[in-house]
Amino acid sequence: MISIEQLTKVYGHGDKATVVLDRLDFRVDAGEIFAVVGPSGAGKSTLAQCVNLLERPTSGSVLVNGENLSQLGERQLRAARRRIGTIFQSDGLYSRRTAAQNVALPLEYLGVTTAEAKRRVAELLDRVGLSDRAGHYPHQLSGGQRQRVGIARALALRPQVLLSDEATSGLDPESTASIVSLLKELRDDLDLSILFITHEMDTVLQVADAVARLDHGHIVESGRIVDLLRDPASALGRALRPARPHATPQLGETHWFVSYTSGAVPADWVLRLASELDAPVSVLGASIETVAGQTVGHASIGVRAVDPALLIETARRLGLDARPVPEDPEAAALADRSAEESSRTSDGGRSTSADASAPAAAGDTAPAASISSTAPALERVV
């Protein structure tokens, strides 16, 4: 387990001081993958350097299994760093060393015997699926294979924490999916705490159990992935699954954006909504998928002549949050009250939130030919 407590990093002094990280707090439990996302300049790279103590924090603590690494002297710190394996954005392999020789490098520095190092390297290359590439040089490997060698090297000293600093950036989708699958396998098999720093939202959905958004050195929002995706007020949830282009509502229809707030949303919710409203419901666009074994999603719908309060309440009973597009203040207030009522009957969502901005409804409209959807059907329901 790794715990970050009130972590602060300041560069410069006096009037020229720049606060890059400001009192960060989060914890990554054993067997958990915790992602940190944020725009360029948010402080992600500095966070990575402070976590593995390549940069000393100005104040605050980095604790691994209860031991405060940030208070250790240089000699003790060199030994303690073995508990944190790091995977870098560039694989950092030595071009004149084979895959096996690159993996063996930390073991050589530690003075491990040749026989033991050879056994450990073979074990690691087998774990990352590269036993048959042990004698290959970096230029003979694909980008994904080189990153796998980097992961094997990060595991050489049996760390308890794995720090992934933009490890999938620059990889093609197939290689990214392969690395994500490997990290999840390592989390489960070795009970690792994995801190996954990235700017790739799609990758976060694939790999992380929880996520925090870093902005200007502050964690502005964090929580479990599914909780964020089901919270209509979550800016981070919307960034993880932004609304896609949708068809234009027909004449006489009002445009609504609905999002899943529960795991109990029935598969035929469109039919049920139309039946209970006694009004036609058109699906203009939708994105529905399974994340961490839970169904999440949102949809744009068109509805003819219906009382907004009735639609909002009916949607709530189906496990959905419904909001008009463009947002009508009165209807939005009804939706907020409905969401608050739903949250009081659930276990809650975000573990941390400093962003209370209203949700963007569904993006700009697009012609029907531009529909982008993963929903089973995009058809008019009466």
Side-chain angles (χ1 to χ4, degrees):
M1 184 268 286
I2 182 169
S3 180
I4 305 301
E5 298 181 357
Q6 292 291 291
L7 187 72
T8 299
K9 181 63 181 179
V10 180
Y11 290 102
H13 303 279
D15 294 339
K16 296 183 178 180
T18 300
V19 180
V20 180
L21 300 175
D22 191 4
R23 294 171 294 177
L24 304 189
D25 286 292
F26 63 85
R27 187 178 77 178
V28 189
D29 291 325
E32 180 181 36
I33 299 178
F34 186 92
V36 175
V37 300
S40 297
K44 300 190 301 297
S45 296
T46 302
L47 173 62
Q49 293 169 346
C50 287
V51 167
N52 60 21
L53 278 301
L54 293 177
E55 281 277 0
R56 287 274 190 174
T58 303
S59 61
S61 304
V62 177
L63 297 96
V64 175
N65 288 344
E67 183 177 8
N68 191 345
L69 305 191
S70 50
Q71 292 183 346
L72 300 179
E74 287 301 323
R75 188 172 181 179
Q76 294 172 305
L77 183 56
R78 281 196 295 272
R81 279 201 187 104
R82 299 170 194 165
R83 303 178 195 174
I84 304 176
T86 303
I87 314 164
F88 299 98
Q89 180 174 355
S90 63
D91 50 67
L93 304 182
Y94 287 92
S95 62
R96 295 187 179 183
R97 281 178 167 256
T98 65
Q101 290 168 340
N102 270 285
V103 175
L105 196 58
L107 301 169
E108 293 174 9
Y109 285 150
L110 198 61
V112 174
T113 65
T114 302
E116 175 61 19
K118 185 176 181 179
R119 185 199 64 77
R120 178 66 174 153
V121 168
E123 173 190 320
L124 289 167
L125 287 176
D126 179 63
R127 176 168 285 280
V128 300
L130 291 178
S131 293
D132 60 341
R133 299 289 191 273
H136 285 57
Y137 288 89
H139 73 272
Q140 297 173 308
L141 302 172
S142 69
Q145 289 172 337
R146 289 196 297 271
Q147 200 59 282
R148 283 175 173 264
V149 174
I151 292 173
R153 184 178 58 188
L155 294 172
L157 302 182
R158 305 181 190 277
Q160 297 155 323
V161 174
L162 201 57
L163 170 62
S164 172
D165 184 12
E166 298 281 7
T168 58
S169 296
L171 296 180
D172 61 79
E174 184 177 350
S175 296
T176 295
S178 174
I179 295 300
V180 163
S181 178
L182 176 60
L183 290 176
K184 292 167 75 173
E185 179 182 313
L186 294 173
R187 171 200 62 189
D188 297 337
D189 292 351
L190 304 179
D191 204 31
L192 291 172
S193 302
I194 300 180
L195 179 58
F196 190 86
I197 297 174
T198 185
H199 66 276
E200 300 172 323
M201 293 297 193
D202 287 344
T203 305
V204 171
L205 284 180
Q206 297 174 48
V207 73
D209 302 300
V211 60
R213 180 162 67 99
L214 188 64
D215 196 1
H216 292 90
H218 298 270
I219 290 180
V220 294
E221 189 177 5
S222 69
R224 309 295 293 179
I225 293 286
V226 171
D227 292 338
L228 291 167
L229 293 174
R230 288 179 176 167
D231 184 351
S234 170
L236 181 51
R238 296 194 303 276
L240 287 167
R241 296 189 72 258
R244 302 184 178 189
H246 52 75
T248 303
Q250 296 294 311
L251 186 65
E253 289 184 333
T254 55
H255 185 188
W256 290 77
F257 183 73
V258 297
S259 55
Y260 284 48
T261 59
S262 164
V265 178
D268 62 346
W269 64 264
V270 178
L271 290 170
R272 294 194 189 193
L273 185 63
S275 175
E276 294 193 35
L277 294 177
D278 193 24
V281 174
S282 306
V283 178
L284 308 174
S287 178
I288 299 166
E289 62 184 298
T290 299
V291 174
Q294 300 290 317
T295 303
V296 296
H298 51 65
S300 290
I301 62 173
V303 186
R304 293 183 183 276
V306 67
D307 176 19
L310 176 62
L311 192 154
I312 290 168
E313 175 57 25
T314 303
R316 187 188 70 81
R317 291 199 303 269
L318 292 170
L320 302 165
D321 177 82
R323 292 171 187 265
V325 182
E327 192 163 277
D328 174 73
E330 185 176 344
L334 286 171
D336 286 338
R337 287 196 293 272
S338 180
E340 289 172 5
E341 183 177 337
S342 294
S343 67
R344 285 195 296 268
T345 60
S346 66
D347 293 332
R350 291 168 287 170
S351 57
T352 304
S353 176
D355 192 325
S357 58
D364 296 329
T365 60
S370 299
I371 292 175
S372 174
S373 172
T374 56
L378 290 178
E379 57 183 333
R380 202 160 297 281
V381 180
V382 179

